[in-house]
Amino acid sequence: MNKDLLTLAIETSCDETSAAVLLNGRTVLSNIVYSQIDIHKKFGGVVPEIASRNHVEKISQVIDEALEGADKTLEEMDMIAVTYGPGLVGALLVGVSTAKALAFALDKPLVPVNHIEGHICANFIQFPDLEPPFVCLIVSGGHSHLVHVKSYGTYEILGRTRDDAAGEAFDKVARTLGLGYPGGPKIDALAKVGNPEAINFPRVYLEKDSLDFSFSGLKSAVLNYINQCKMKDVEVIPKDVAASFQASVVEVMTSKAILAAKKCGVDKIVLAGGVAANNGLRESLTEAVGKHGLELYYPSLALCTDNAAMIGCAGYYDYLGGVRGGAALNAVPNLKLGVKP
Ligand code: KG4
Ligand code: ZN
């Protein structure tokens, strides 16, 4: 039996300052998330410069709280895992420089982690027995990917968005409806009480059997619908717009996720990223996997949105795979999935 390994993980890629301590990659001893949502709300979205400044202010405190919560010291850590991309460059740099300083000062291994891989790994924390291979639908504010997770750390991208990310579409439609930021949870809540068949928004499947997504046409269709209603003096019913928009997104995602599982010959579909919190998506996929004899996995709400625990889990498997960062490690804002430093 190998020695127990403790990981200190740091995540600052967007608007959450987070630190976590994990035992052997899958047991979370602490996971502190300081969300800046209230600060960015008034601007209708994340303001990069403000995000960086807030990360600088909070990072030390968040790390201290994570260590305290785990009842561990910095010296006890076996590795420092940190998100180095993708994300906002200034925000990422706060985490990366903090992690580099700690790793250097403590003489501990530094493990650079891909944020998207972190989202996938949130499921390993939630489901201790989950093992690859599986198909993962990663849908967040910045990314929409269908990925074949072949083994720990080995990913094949099956499809991706050609324009907006899924969460971006949720946020933009919510903004148009005057629902505020972040829009996903607001659309989700409204959709529950709205009629998904009220408006027939397009279902964008692209070419036959394509596993890519496109959300910008749908987003424009929603904006056009609202503008036309205004021009014709017809009342816009936000709950019906939300439900009909969500139905379009969810229908396409569900059928592409099932197609991906069939193409790869796997029996598990795994959800990840902020949009994986969407109730409509969870319900639709639950029904679909039942019909197709597949299994569905998705993390708890807290593990769906950005947090350092998921980065610690991905970092642990990267560490076992020999991934290391050095003093030259830099933030990579457009880091691709599966690329190792
Ligand atoms: O993964 P995440 O926390 O950050 C990124 O890495 O992007 O995802 C944030 C995105 C936002 O666009 C937010 O509106 C969306 O996830 N989101 C949701 C829900 N909760 C969060 N979208 C749809 N339904 C939800 N319940
Ligand atoms: Zn994320």
Side-chain angles (χ1 to χ4, degrees), residues 18-35:
S18 183
V21 175
L22 288 91
L23 173 67
N24 296 331
R26 281 173 104 135
T27 304
V28 179
L29 303 184
S30 64
N31 186 23
I32 307 296
V33 183
Y34 165 73
S35 173

Side-chain angles (χ1 to χ4, degrees), residues 133-137 146-149 158 257 260-261 264 266 268-270:
F134 52 77
V135 155
C136 187
L137 173 65
L146 261 168
V147 177
H148 184 187
V149 180
L158 305 165
C264 297
V266 300
K268 286 176 257 180
I269 293 178
V270 169

Side-chain angles (χ1 to χ4, degrees), residues 89-161:
V89 66
L92 286 164
L93 276 171
V94 178
V96 168
S97 41
T98 306
K100 279 204 292 193
L102 286 174
F104 180 71
L106 297 162
D107 197 19
K108 308 276 183 192
L110 174 68
V111 186
V113 176
N114 181 313
H115 181 81
I116 311 176
E117 295 178 17
H119 274 300
I120 299 173
C121 291
N123 286 281
F124 293 136
I125 297 172
Q126 188 78 44
F127 304 101
D129 298 326
L130 176 65
E131 302 267 359
F134 52 77
V135 155
C136 187
L137 173 65
I138 309 155
V139 272
S140 73
H143 328 279
S144 304
H145 285 87
L146 261 168
V147 177
H148 184 187
V149 180
K150 296 182 169 177
S151 62
Y152 292 105
T154 312
Y155 310 93
E156 184 196 348
I157 298 176
L158 305 165
R160 56 160 66 84
T161 183

Side-chain angles (χ1 to χ4, degrees):
M1 185 71 188
N2 290 334
K3 166 185 178 293
D4 279 342
L5 290 173
L6 283 169
T7 304
L8 171 66
I10 298 171
E11 154 67 38
T12 63
S13 67
C14 190
D15 59 346
E16 264 90 28
T17 318
S18 183
V21 175
L22 288 91
L23 173 67
N24 296 331
R26 281 173 104 135
T27 304
V28 179
L29 303 184
S30 64
N31 186 23
I32 307 296
V33 183
Y34 165 73
S35 173
Q36 304 176 5
I37 282 181
D38 283 341
I39 297 168
H40 298 283
K41 236 184 208 163
K42 48 183 171 291
F43 304 102
V46 178
V47 183
E49 190 51 42
I50 296 178
S52 316
R53 266 188 260 153
N54 273 277
H55 286 311
V56 171
E57 276 175 28
K58 285 284 171 190
I59 188 76
S60 300
Q61 179 194 332
V62 164
I63 291 172
D64 287 348
E65 284 178 34
L67 291 165
E68 258 171 51
D71 200 18
K72 301 286 176 202
T73 62
L74 269 178
E75 289 70 26
E76 286 175 279
M77 297 299 116
D78 294 291
M79 70 192 89
I80 314 286
V82 65
T83 307
Y84 77 112
L88 302 168
V89 66
L92 286 164
L93 276 171
V94 178
V96 168
S97 41
T98 306
K100 279 204 292 193
L102 286 174
F104 180 71
L106 297 162
D107 197 19
K108 308 276 183 192
L110 174 68
V111 186
V113 176
N114 181 313
H115 181 81
I116 311 176
E117 295 178 17
H119 274 300
I120 299 173
C121 291
N123 286 281
F124 293 136
I125 297 172
Q126 188 78 44
F127 304 101
D129 298 326
L130 176 65
E131 302 267 359
F134 52 77
V135 155
C136 187
L137 173 65
I138 309 155
V139 272
S140 73
H143 328 279
S144 304
H145 285 87
L146 261 168
V147 177
H148 184 187
V149 180
K150 296 182 169 177
S151 62
Y152 292 105
T154 312
Y155 310 93
E156 184 196 348
I157 298 176
L158 305 165
R160 56 160 66 84
T161 183
R162 293 188 188 169
D163 38 60
D164 291 349
E168 218 177 329
F170 271 91
D171 292 338
K172 285 180 182 166
V173 168
R175 193 182 309 166
T176 311
L177 289 171
L179 301 176
Y181 174 86
K186 304 215 160 116
I187 298 261
D188 194 359
L190 262 190
K192 263 196 203 132
V193 291
N195 174 7
E197 285 163 16
I199 309 142
N200 188 19
F201 288 130
R203 269 65 175 155
V204 184
Y205 283 95
L206 302 167
E207 305 80 31
K208 188 178 178 311
D209 287 350
S210 169
L211 293 174
D212 280 349
F213 298 101
S214 168
F215 297 108
S216 75
L218 171 61
K219 181 190 69 191
S220 303
V222 176
L223 300 190
N224 288 342
Y225 170 80
I226 294 172
N227 287 335
Q228 275 171 13
C229 284
K230 283 182 185 156
M231 272 171 9
K232 293 180 195 156
D233 216 11
V234 173
E235 188 193 357
V236 174
I237 303 171
K239 62 181 183 182
D240 287 348
V241 176
S244 302
F245 159 76
Q246 185 170 294
S248 165
V249 174
V250 163
E251 194 181 301
V252 173
M253 280 185 186
T254 302
S255 84
K256 292 200 182 234
I258 299 284
L259 176 62
K262 300 263 169 198
K263 272 189 173 174
C264 297
V266 300
D267 58 4
K268 286 176 257 180
I269 293 178
V270 169
L271 284 180
V275 184
N278 187 268
N279 286 290
L281 181 62
R282 291 174 169 204
E283 280 159 24
S284 161
L285 267 168
T286 302
E287 198 187 317
V289 295
K291 274 190 206 150
H292 291 269
L294 307 169
E295 276 179 277
L296 178 69
Y297 296 81
Y298 49 79
S300 65
L301 287 187
L303 286 172
C304 275
T305 45
D306 291 351
N307 66 88
M310 68 184 196
I311 301 304
C313 180
Y316 171 79
Y317 287 108
D318 279 344
Y319 173 86
L320 296 183
V323 175
R324 300 288 186 274
L329 180 70
N330 207 346
V332 183
N334 58 356
L335 182 65
K336 301 283 173 285
L337 189 74
V339 176
K340 302 290 174 199

